[in-house]
Amino acid sequence: MLDKTFPHAEVERRHYARWEASGLFSARPESKARPYCIVIPPPNVTGSLHMGHALNNTLQDVLIRWRRMAGDDALWMPGTDHAGIATQMVVERQLAEQGIRRQDLGRDEFVRRVWQWKEQSGGTITAQLRRLGASLDWPRERFTMDEGLSRAVTEVFVSLYRQGLIYRAKRLVNWDPKFHSAISDLEVENREVKGHLWHIRYPIEGEEGRFIVVATTRPETMLGDTGVAVHPEDDRFRDLVGRHAILPLVGRRLPIVADAHSDPAKGSGAVKITPAHDFNDFEVGRRHGLEVVNILDRDARLLDDPLIPAPYRGLDRFEARKRIVADLEAAGLIEKIEPHTHTVPHGDRSGAVIEPYLTDQWFVDAKTLAAPAIAAVERGRTQFVPRQWENTFFAWMRDIQPWCISRQLWWGHRIPAWYAPDGAIFVAHDEAEARRLAAAACGHEVELRRDPDVLDTWFSSALWPFSTLGWPERTPELARYYPGEVLVTGFDIIFFWVARMMMMGLHFMNDVPFRTVYVHALVRDERGQKMSKSKGNVIDPLELIERYGADALRFTLTAMAAQGRDVKLSPQRVEGYRNFATKLWNAARFCQMHGCVPVPGWAPASARATLNRWILGRLAEAARAATEALEQFRFDAYANELYHFVWGTFCDWYLELAKPALAGGDAALREETRAAAAFVLDATLALLHPVMPFVTEEIWHAMADRGPGPCEGRRTLMVEPWPDPGSLPRDPAAEAEVEWVVRLISEVRAIRSESGVPPGRAIPLALKDAAPATLARLDRWREPVLRLARLSEAAPLAGEVPRGAAQAVLDEATLVLPLADVIDLAAERARLAKEIARHADELRRLDAKLANPDFVARAAEEVVEESREKRAAAAAAKARLEAALARLAV
RNA sequence: GGGCGCGUAGCUCAGCGGGAGAGCACUACCUUGACACGGUAGGGGUCAGAGGUUCGAUCCCUCUCGCGCCCA
């Protein structure tokens, strides 16, 4: 016998271990079944599970478990990401605690320490995914830095280089002075910052006392100025174009050029041009042939160089700003200082203010690779769900910039490029090949130096959908599972990851990496705030699992995953769905107590009893709706459909109405009801299994000995067939009858409650004007009706309606509860008045509608007919309630 | 400044051309033999505002207001 509540902790451990050991999570490449593949968005190998992961992986597991049960050859590809910057940062911080810098260790030793850290903490997140119940194909687990994936990275780099789609160039990049590395545009976070706009007077050469005023938010960059730009149409400066200004503090001559980049309405109308430290200025400089003067070192300090006036050499950029402003002020060259809010680029990982910085880096020609990806989405070869994310994808892809892929880090895939002493570049799969290339090019052996930089982590992530399947080997897995069916991810990495997988997949596999991209929302706290450690509002999924069970957490996240809305999570909500699991558990417990054991081979169509035919029909509808919801990625609809079926239909009505049959003396009816109840419960467990795998598996085994099977010698719900609504009988007559019973009981309960009948008191019910068919129904359902409505008897009304009887209308019949002695007459009068008013409103509304000739003439025939029927019903009900009220008043 | 999304019951959200819904919270009552992590009943909404299309608008269109996110 089952206990009263579901012991989730023990059950979760037991079943997960069985499942994993059974090998049933694994794909079956040899099978004839349709392949269905999802690749996991690889979490950071040294990370731990947060609520975003919990949502993301729950949804993937729901899909995978569903398709596995539906008979597909389901592959959920697991793995982790080396997260270059983040991981290196963690290890560096650990070393710093011991007073060690990575440079002290040297590259090889440092990388060895990172691997050590990976070995030590690398299992955390995969263990946590297991706690969540994720049915990943663990033996296939991959890591972006493992041998095979590293080979894929090298292969892709070399190919793209040889195709001219990867190149090395000296360009302005986003420089993170804390990491001493370039980062991509995407890793830059633009933050609104309150700063100042300094208006600085630059003297005009050869015209004593005349100045041109430039406005800047970064005065320290003036040391790198090589020009001044004004708008070509700006009359104020027209005569200055072609002349020179003199750079204060430095004395350099600055050409004054006309360029539309200068906005006459902004600041002073003239802008200083610093090509080495501003993306826009770089372009202006190029258009006008201005010099490029770099003034910063890799720490974003002013260079210790004769180029820089002595007092500022080696100063931090912010210190330099103060000094330069002070010196300009002293020289009377500051015209004014305005408070100014502007956006300042920050490194998303380091938080440091990013400097545009001129260096040699490696770039991917993203524009060329983007074109096929754009076309693929336009043609619907890959579809975004919800659809509107396609706009985000297009907006970025159509204006894509070269992707800077080199990082000045030690942790990552080292760039397979070697340099000869003369600077010649040899890109090769390995050093030996590079030597051969170099020897061939130079005619003799040359000394080669390997590029010290590593690749952006997203470079290897972009290959994930095919590298994990064995590419560049042409494995059977690659042929079978690429392209994947669906990618499940958050919108925050559409650019970082989805777009790049599309580009690489199309280029190297000549097909999209997945047919559908399902984009889910962010998980926020109950007030809608983004969860963050600094706000202290982080909810740990593991804590929720421990407290309420993995099933409850999974159900919550699934039920709340409505398209286009963030998930606002509160522990209270999880508690509610834990209660749902308990409800299901107790329904099963009830079935168990009444001998509801699944009958092998039992055919639902063989059911004769109205109640059983009704619940089988309701099950069919629930199965249909749940399946359709999953097909459309309507996770919330899937979960809610089953919630209502289990609680509102199966528990509230079916089991209650089945009690007489289950306890009764009619053996045939009892056996059929037992079989039907067990059948419906089994199907319900199957439908719920993708979202609540643990509780459903546990109940499924508790209900019967399921016999031998592939999971530690036993069968498992995990690979039972997905219920097929088409095989279930639909019986409109049974539906009408049971729904009548439900309405009858509900009406009586409402009257009792509202007119103040003591709950324990059984009262008689009389039916006035009931048709013979209705009285026959009543006979068939007498027992449950009496019990559920707490009635002493139910019979046709004999004679007149007694005084002081409570009444209600049910179809053609009037329900009469002759209770002059027990009911609160005033309360009953109020109740009737309220009911009458409700019908009167309805009647007024429908009369107005039907009186409108346009409505009758133009609305669809069936709509008009429906309105007439409703009007008649409302009028009849109102008349009878009025009569009831009149009798009550006597 | 450009784009996207959202404003429906106290809260969180479904619904999206023809009768305003759910969960939670709230109120009252109930130790009824599966379940108090439960049961029964109930209160609560000019569906942000204004115009338009339509026989009919919470739903479609336009504008306004408010909130959020992305991009510049």
Side-chain angles (χ1 to χ4, degrees), chain A residues 301-337:
Chain A
R301 282 188 308 241
L302 293 182
L303 288 171
D304 187 6
D305 186 289
L307 210 66
I308 308 293
Y312 310 121
R313 287 178 200 158
L315 286 184
D316 172 79
R317 55 191 157 158
F318 300 112
E319 182 58 27
R321 177 179 298 178
K322 281 187 207 152
R323 295 276 289 274
I324 285 169
V325 169
D327 291 347
L328 289 171
E329 228 158 6
L333 293 175
I334 298 285
E335 176 146 312
K336 62 176 170 178
I337 304 174

mmCIF file of all heavy atoms in Angstrom, chain A residues 301-337:
data_model
loop_
_atom_site.group_PDB
_atom_site.id
_atom_site.type_symbol
_atom_site.label_atom_id
_atom_site.label_comp_id
_atom_site.label_asym_id
_atom_site.label_seq_id
_atom_site.Cartn_x
_atom_site.Cartn_y
_atom_site.Cartn_z
ATOM 1 N N ARG A 301 46.643 52.196 -19.698
ATOM 2 C CA ARG A 301 47.403 53.320 -19.132
ATOM 3 C C ARG A 301 48.037 54.062 -20.296
ATOM 4 O O ARG A 301 48.276 53.480 -21.359
ATOM 5 C CB ARG A 301 48.515 52.796 -18.208
ATOM 6 C CG ARG A 301 48.024 52.370 -16.849
ATOM 7 C CD ARG A 301 49.207 52.049 -15.942
ATOM 8 N NE ARG A 301 50.106 51.101 -16.586
ATOM 9 C CZ ARG A 301 50.395 49.900 -16.095
ATOM 10 N NH1 ARG A 301 49.863 49.490 -14.959
ATOM 11 N NH2 ARG A 301 51.234 49.100 -16.733
ATOM 12 N N LEU A 302 48.337 55.359 -20.055
ATOM 13 C CA LEU A 302 48.999 56.110 -21.120
ATOM 14 C C LEU A 302 50.389 55.538 -21.318
ATOM 15 O O LEU A 302 51.070 55.172 -20.352
ATOM 16 C CB LEU A 302 49.056 57.591 -20.759
ATOM 17 C CG LEU A 302 47.670 58.252 -20.725
ATOM 18 C CD1 LEU A 302 47.800 59.727 -20.402
ATOM 19 C CD2 LEU A 302 46.961 58.071 -22.056
ATOM 20 N N LEU A 303 50.789 55.445 -22.579
ATOM 21 C CA LEU A 303 52.090 54.861 -22.904
ATOM 22 C C LEU A 303 53.223 55.636 -22.265
ATOM 23 O O LEU A 303 53.170 56.852 -22.134
ATOM 24 C CB LEU A 303 52.289 54.867 -24.421
ATOM 25 C CG LEU A 303 51.454 53.884 -25.231
ATOM 26 C CD1 LEU A 303 51.623 54.187 -26.720
ATOM 27 C CD2 LEU A 303 51.875 52.451 -24.918
ATOM 28 N N ASP A 304 54.215 54.884 -21.888
ATOM 29 C CA ASP A 304 55.441 55.516 -21.423
ATOM 30 C C ASP A 304 56.295 55.713 -22.669
ATOM 31 O O ASP A 304 57.122 54.865 -23.011
ATOM 32 C CB ASP A 304 56.121 54.578 -20.418
ATOM 33 C CG ASP A 304 57.315 55.250 -19.770
ATOM 34 O OD1 ASP A 304 57.522 56.459 -20.024
ATOM 35 O OD2 ASP A 304 58.030 54.554 -19.038
ATOM 36 N N ASP A 305 56.048 56.817 -23.345
ATOM 37 C CA ASP A 305 56.576 56.971 -24.701
ATOM 38 C C ASP A 305 56.736 58.463 -24.964
ATOM 39 O O ASP A 305 55.911 59.255 -24.507
ATOM 40 C CB ASP A 305 55.545 56.361 -25.665
ATOM 41 C CG ASP A 305 56.039 56.320 -27.091
ATOM 42 O OD1 ASP A 305 56.129 57.408 -27.718
ATOM 43 O OD2 ASP A 305 56.331 55.216 -27.572
ATOM 44 N N PRO A 306 57.747 58.822 -25.727
ATOM 45 C CA PRO A 306 57.984 60.242 -26.019
ATOM 46 C C PRO A 306 56.789 60.920 -26.675
ATOM 47 O O PRO A 306 56.650 62.149 -26.595
ATOM 48 C CB PRO A 306 59.165 60.216 -27.001
ATOM 49 C CG PRO A 306 59.803 58.895 -26.814
ATOM 50 C CD PRO A 306 58.794 57.944 -26.295
ATOM 51 N N LEU A 307 55.949 60.124 -27.287
ATOM 52 C CA LEU A 307 54.742 60.646 -27.906
ATOM 53 C C LEU A 307 53.845 61.369 -26.896
ATOM 54 O O LEU A 307 53.095 62.283 -27.229
ATOM 55 C CB LEU A 307 53.969 59.426 -28.439
ATOM 56 C CG LEU A 307 53.105 59.577 -29.650
ATOM 57 C CD1 LEU A 307 53.969 59.872 -30.857
ATOM 58 C CD2 LEU A 307 52.345 58.265 -29.868
ATOM 59 N N ILE A 308 53.884 60.898 -25.684
ATOM 60 C CA ILE A 308 53.016 61.411 -24.628
ATOM 61 C C ILE A 308 53.784 62.460 -23.841
ATOM 62 O O ILE A 308 54.929 62.216 -23.458
ATOM 63 C CB ILE A 308 52.615 60.261 -23.669
ATOM 64 C CG1 ILE A 308 52.040 59.073 -24.449
ATOM 65 C CG2 ILE A 308 51.657 60.756 -22.592
ATOM 66 C CD1 ILE A 308 50.722 59.344 -25.128
ATOM 67 N N PRO A 309 53.186 63.606 -23.579
ATOM 68 C CA PRO A 309 53.851 64.595 -22.745
ATOM 69 C C PRO A 309 54.254 63.967 -21.407
ATOM 70 O O PRO A 309 53.477 63.211 -20.820
ATOM 71 C CB PRO A 309 52.793 65.684 -22.559
ATOM 72 C CG PRO A 309 51.882 65.527 -23.730
ATOM 73 C CD PRO A 309 51.885 64.075 -24.055
ATOM 74 N N ALA A 310 55.437 64.282 -20.979
ATOM 75 C CA ALA A 310 56.037 63.616 -19.828
ATOM 76 C C ALA A 310 55.136 63.480 -18.601
ATOM 77 O O ALA A 310 55.111 62.419 -17.978
ATOM 78 C CB ALA A 310 57.346 64.310 -19.472
ATOM 79 N N PRO A 311 54.404 64.498 -18.232
ATOM 80 C CA PRO A 311 53.656 64.386 -16.969
ATOM 81 C C PRO A 311 52.604 63.287 -16.980
ATOM 82 O O PRO A 311 52.166 62.841 -15.924
ATOM 83 C CB PRO A 311 52.971 65.747 -16.826
ATOM 84 C CG PRO A 311 53.598 66.644 -17.815
ATOM 85 C CD PRO A 311 54.201 65.803 -18.873
ATOM 86 N N TYR A 312 52.179 62.850 -18.158
ATOM 87 C CA TYR A 312 51.059 61.899 -18.213
ATOM 88 C C TYR A 312 51.508 60.472 -18.456
ATOM 89 O O TYR A 312 50.703 59.547 -18.386
ATOM 90 C CB TYR A 312 50.089 62.300 -19.337
ATOM 91 C CG TYR A 312 49.698 63.761 -19.283
ATOM 92 C CD1 TYR A 312 49.955 64.603 -20.350
ATOM 93 C CD2 TYR A 312 49.078 64.292 -18.147
ATOM 94 C CE1 TYR A 312 49.619 65.939 -20.316
ATOM 95 C CE2 TYR A 312 48.738 65.639 -18.104
ATOM 96 C CZ TYR A 312 49.013 66.467 -19.184
ATOM 97 O OH TYR A 312 48.674 67.776 -19.135
ATOM 98 N N ARG A 313 52.760 60.280 -18.761
ATOM 99 C CA ARG A 313 53.224 58.942 -19.135
ATOM 100 C C ARG A 313 52.955 57.934 -18.018
ATOM 101 O O ARG A 313 53.232 58.202 -16.852
ATOM 102 C CB ARG A 313 54.722 58.949 -19.441
ATOM 103 C CG ARG A 313 55.008 59.632 -20.761
ATOM 104 C CD ARG A 313 56.492 59.696 -21.069
ATOM 105 N NE ARG A 313 56.704 60.745 -22.061
ATOM 106 C CZ ARG A 313 57.854 61.367 -22.263
ATOM 107 N NH1 ARG A 313 58.926 61.050 -21.544
ATOM 108 N NH2 ARG A 313 57.951 62.306 -23.177
ATOM 109 N N GLY A 314 52.388 56.803 -18.400
ATOM 110 C CA GLY A 314 52.172 55.712 -17.436
ATOM 111 C C GLY A 314 50.959 55.899 -16.541
ATOM 112 O O GLY A 314 50.662 55.043 -15.715
ATOM 113 N N LEU A 315 50.256 57.022 -16.703
ATOM 114 C CA LEU A 315 49.081 57.226 -15.851
ATOM 115 C C LEU A 315 47.923 56.334 -16.283
ATOM 116 O O LEU A 315 47.714 56.112 -17.475
ATOM 117 C CB LEU A 315 48.609 58.682 -15.925
ATOM 118 C CG LEU A 315 49.419 59.751 -15.223
ATOM 119 C CD1 LEU A 315 48.698 61.089 -15.363
ATOM 120 C CD2 LEU A 315 49.626 59.408 -13.752
ATOM 121 N N ASP A 316 47.147 55.900 -15.306
ATOM 122 C CA ASP A 316 45.892 55.219 -15.599
ATOM 123 C C ASP A 316 44.976 56.188 -16.355
ATOM 124 O O ASP A 316 45.021 57.399 -16.126
ATOM 125 C CB ASP A 316 45.239 54.788 -14.290
ATOM 126 C CG ASP A 316 43.852 54.266 -14.531
ATOM 127 O OD1 ASP A 316 43.742 53.109 -14.962
ATOM 128 O OD2 ASP A 316 42.871 55.030 -14.331
ATOM 129 N N ARG A 317 44.131 55.645 -17.227
ATOM 130 C CA ARG A 317 43.335 56.531 -18.100
ATOM 131 C C ARG A 317 42.434 57.492 -17.316
ATOM 132 O O ARG A 317 42.200 58.619 -17.736
ATOM 133 C CB ARG A 317 42.502 55.702 -19.083
ATOM 134 C CG ARG A 317 41.610 54.679 -18.398
ATOM 135 C CD ARG A 317 40.988 53.695 -19.381
ATOM 136 N NE ARG A 317 40.618 52.484 -18.675
ATOM 137 C CZ ARG A 317 39.707 51.615 -19.082
ATOM 138 N NH1 ARG A 317 39.064 51.813 -20.215
ATOM 139 N NH2 ARG A 317 39.447 50.554 -18.380
ATOM 140 N N PHE A 318 41.920 57.024 -16.170
ATOM 141 C CA PHE A 318 41.004 57.903 -15.423
ATOM 142 C C PHE A 318 41.755 58.962 -14.627
ATOM 143 O O PHE A 318 41.295 60.088 -14.474
ATOM 144 C CB PHE A 318 40.085 57.063 -14.542
ATOM 145 C CG PHE A 318 39.250 56.113 -15.340
ATOM 146 C CD1 PHE A 318 39.445 54.740 -15.258
ATOM 147 C CD2 PHE A 318 38.305 56.587 -16.247
ATOM 148 C CE1 PHE A 318 38.706 53.862 -16.034
ATOM 149 C CE2 PHE A 318 37.554 55.714 -17.021
ATOM 150 C CZ PHE A 318 37.757 54.344 -16.912
ATOM 151 N N GLU A 319 42.923 58.568 -14.152
ATOM 152 C CA GLU A 319 43.798 59.540 -13.494
ATOM 153 C C GLU A 319 44.254 60.591 -14.519
ATOM 154 O O GLU A 319 44.240 61.786 -14.252
ATOM 155 C CB GLU A 319 45.008 58.802 -12.902
ATOM 156 C CG GLU A 319 45.984 59.685 -12.145
ATOM 157 C CD GLU A 319 45.354 60.440 -10.985
ATOM 158 O OE1 GLU A 319 44.347 59.948 -10.427
ATOM 159 O OE2 GLU A 319 45.855 61.539 -10.664
ATOM 160 N N ALA A 320 44.603 60.099 -15.694
ATOM 161 C CA ALA A 320 45.050 61.009 -16.760
ATOM 162 C C ALA A 320 43.949 62.007 -17.104
ATOM 163 O O ALA A 320 44.206 63.182 -17.339
ATOM 164 C CB ALA A 320 45.435 60.198 -17.993
ATOM 165 N N ARG A 321 42.718 61.529 -17.108
ATOM 166 C CA ARG A 321 41.597 62.411 -17.416
ATOM 167 C C ARG A 321 41.565 63.595 -16.448
ATOM 168 O O ARG A 321 41.482 64.742 -16.877
ATOM 169 C CB ARG A 321 40.279 61.633 -17.339
ATOM 170 C CG ARG A 321 39.045 62.497 -17.588
ATOM 171 C CD ARG A 321 37.770 61.685 -17.537
ATOM 172 N NE ARG A 321 37.779 60.661 -18.597
ATOM 173 C CZ ARG A 321 36.793 59.772 -18.757
ATOM 174 N NH1 ARG A 321 35.747 59.756 -17.949
ATOM 175 N NH2 ARG A 321 36.867 58.868 -19.734
ATOM 176 N N LYS A 322 41.673 63.282 -15.158
ATOM 177 C CA LYS A 322 41.638 64.354 -14.148
ATOM 178 C C LYS A 322 42.768 65.357 -14.371
ATOM 179 O O LYS A 322 42.562 66.568 -14.341
ATOM 180 C CB LYS A 322 41.820 63.754 -12.739
ATOM 181 C CG LYS A 322 40.554 63.131 -12.195
ATOM 182 C CD LYS A 322 40.762 62.706 -10.735
ATOM 183 C CE LYS A 322 39.856 61.550 -10.382
ATOM 184 N NZ LYS A 322 40.401 60.700 -9.320
ATOM 185 N N ARG A 323 43.959 64.817 -14.589
ATOM 186 C CA ARG A 323 45.124 65.688 -14.734
ATOM 187 C C ARG A 323 45.009 66.558 -15.973
ATOM 188 O O ARG A 323 45.314 67.759 -15.956
ATOM 189 C CB ARG A 323 46.401 64.830 -14.807
ATOM 190 C CG ARG A 323 46.676 64.067 -13.524
ATOM 191 C CD ARG A 323 47.405 64.948 -12.528
ATOM 192 N NE ARG A 323 48.766 65.168 -12.958
ATOM 193 C CZ ARG A 323 49.783 64.333 -12.679
ATOM 194 N NH1 ARG A 323 49.571 63.258 -11.955
ATOM 195 N NH2 ARG A 323 51.006 64.604 -13.102
ATOM 196 N N ILE A 324 44.557 65.952 -17.050
ATOM 197 C CA ILE A 324 44.471 66.699 -18.307
ATOM 198 C C ILE A 324 43.409 67.795 -18.202
ATOM 199 O O ILE A 324 43.632 68.939 -18.611
ATOM 200 C CB ILE A 324 44.186 65.738 -19.479
ATOM 201 C CG1 ILE A 324 45.473 64.978 -19.796
ATOM 202 C CG2 ILE A 324 43.659 66.470 -20.704
ATOM 203 C CD1 ILE A 324 45.310 63.809 -20.740
ATOM 204 N N VAL A 325 42.270 67.466 -17.603
ATOM 205 C CA VAL A 325 41.228 68.480 -17.434
ATOM 206 C C VAL A 325 41.737 69.621 -16.565
ATOM 207 O O VAL A 325 41.549 70.804 -16.884
ATOM 208 C CB VAL A 325 39.946 67.847 -16.827
ATOM 209 C CG1 VAL A 325 38.973 68.937 -16.391
ATOM 210 C CG2 VAL A 325 39.278 66.927 -17.848
ATOM 211 N N ALA A 326 42.442 69.268 -15.488
ATOM 212 C CA ALA A 326 42.978 70.310 -14.604
ATOM 213 C C ALA A 326 43.954 71.199 -15.352
ATOM 214 O O ALA A 326 43.929 72.438 -15.235
ATOM 215 C CB ALA A 326 43.662 69.658 -13.391
ATOM 216 N N ASP A 327 44.817 70.585 -16.138
ATOM 217 C CA ASP A 327 45.816 71.362 -16.863
ATOM 218 C C ASP A 327 45.176 72.245 -17.934
ATOM 219 O O ASP A 327 45.597 73.381 -18.145
ATOM 220 C CB ASP A 327 46.859 70.431 -17.490
ATOM 221 C CG ASP A 327 47.723 69.765 -16.423
ATOM 222 O OD1 ASP A 327 47.676 70.213 -15.249
ATOM 223 O OD2 ASP A 327 48.424 68.785 -16.752
ATOM 224 N N LEU A 328 44.150 71.712 -18.584
ATOM 225 C CA LEU A 328 43.453 72.513 -19.591
ATOM 226 C C LEU A 328 42.746 73.696 -18.930
ATOM 227 O O LEU A 328 42.732 74.804 -19.443
ATOM 228 C CB LEU A 328 42.429 71.656 -20.349
ATOM 229 C CG LEU A 328 43.000 70.620 -21.318
ATOM 230 C CD1 LEU A 328 41.889 69.698 -21.816
ATOM 231 C CD2 LEU A 328 43.677 71.299 -22.512
ATOM 232 N N GLU A 329 42.166 73.410 -17.781
ATOM 233 C CA GLU A 329 41.471 74.472 -17.050
ATOM 234 C C GLU A 329 42.450 75.577 -16.675
ATOM 235 O O GLU A 329 42.168 76.752 -16.852
ATOM 236 C CB GLU A 329 40.800 73.885 -15.803
ATOM 237 C CG GLU A 329 39.377 74.345 -15.691
ATOM 238 C CD GLU A 329 38.506 73.446 -14.841
ATOM 239 O OE1 GLU A 329 39.024 72.485 -14.220
ATOM 240 O OE2 GLU A 329 37.298 73.709 -14.798
ATOM 241 N N ALA A 330 43.606 75.141 -16.172
ATOM 242 C CA ALA A 330 44.627 76.104 -15.783
ATOM 243 C C ALA A 330 45.054 76.960 -16.964
ATOM 244 O O ALA A 330 45.361 78.147 -16.820
ATOM 245 C CB ALA A 330 45.834 75.367 -15.205
ATOM 246 N N ALA A 331 45.016 76.332 -18.149
ATOM 247 C CA ALA A 331 45.418 77.069 -19.345
ATOM 248 C C ALA A 331 44.272 77.874 -19.937
ATOM 249 O O ALA A 331 44.406 78.480 -20.989
ATOM 250 C CB ALA A 331 45.969 76.077 -20.373
ATOM 251 N N GLY A 332 43.110 77.822 -19.273
ATOM 252 C CA GLY A 332 41.959 78.573 -19.768
ATOM 253 C C GLY A 332 41.377 77.984 -21.028
ATOM 254 O O GLY A 332 40.748 78.671 -21.825
ATOM 255 N N LEU A 333 41.545 76.698 -21.243
ATOM 256 C CA LEU A 333 41.091 76.094 -22.488
ATOM 257 C C LEU A 333 39.802 75.283 -22.325
ATOM 258 O O LEU A 333 39.333 74.677 -23.271
ATOM 259 C CB LEU A 333 42.203 75.202 -23.067
ATOM 260 C CG LEU A 333 43.450 75.984 -23.531
ATOM 261 C CD1 LEU A 333 44.553 75.041 -23.963
ATOM 262 C CD2 LEU A 333 43.101 76.952 -24.664
ATOM 263 N N ILE A 334 39.263 75.273 -21.120
ATOM 264 C CA ILE A 334 37.971 74.612 -20.936
ATOM 265 C C ILE A 334 36.884 75.665 -21.059
ATOM 266 O O ILE A 334 36.839 76.599 -20.264
ATOM 267 C CB ILE A 334 37.880 73.940 -19.551
ATOM 268 C CG1 ILE A 334 38.936 72.846 -19.382
ATOM 269 C CG2 ILE A 334 36.469 73.383 -19.324
ATOM 270 C CD1 ILE A 334 38.659 71.571 -20.123
ATOM 271 N N GLU A 335 36.044 75.500 -22.053
ATOM 272 C CA GLU A 335 34.980 76.490 -22.229
ATOM 273 C C GLU A 335 33.842 76.224 -21.261
ATOM 274 O O GLU A 335 33.329 77.110 -20.607
ATOM 275 C CB GLU A 335 34.470 76.449 -23.662
ATOM 276 C CG GLU A 335 33.293 77.387 -23.857
ATOM 277 C CD GLU A 335 33.292 78.001 -25.230
ATOM 278 O OE1 GLU A 335 34.350 78.501 -25.649
ATOM 279 O OE2 GLU A 335 32.239 77.954 -25.887
ATOM 280 N N LYS A 336 33.423 74.982 -21.174
ATOM 281 C CA LYS A 336 32.421 74.616 -20.184
ATOM 282 C C LYS A 336 32.405 73.098 -19.977
ATOM 283 O O LYS A 336 32.949 72.342 -20.773
ATOM 284 C CB LYS A 336 31.030 75.108 -20.589
ATOM 285 C CG LYS A 336 30.505 74.530 -21.885
ATOM 286 C CD LYS A 336 29.073 75.010 -22.134
ATOM 287 C CE LYS A 336 28.639 74.621 -23.545
ATOM 288 N NZ LYS A 336 27.281 74.999 -23.864
ATOM 289 N N ILE A 337 31.781 72.738 -18.856
ATOM 290 C CA ILE A 337 31.629 71.314 -18.552
ATOM 291 C C ILE A 337 30.160 71.072 -18.268
ATOM 292 O O ILE A 337 29.592 71.697 -17.369
ATOM 293 C CB ILE A 337 32.458 70.911 -17.304
ATOM 294 C CG1 ILE A 337 33.926 71.288 -17.505
ATOM 295 C CG2 ILE A 337 32.298 69.422 -17.017
ATOM 296 C CD1 ILE A 337 34.800 71.077 -16.273
#
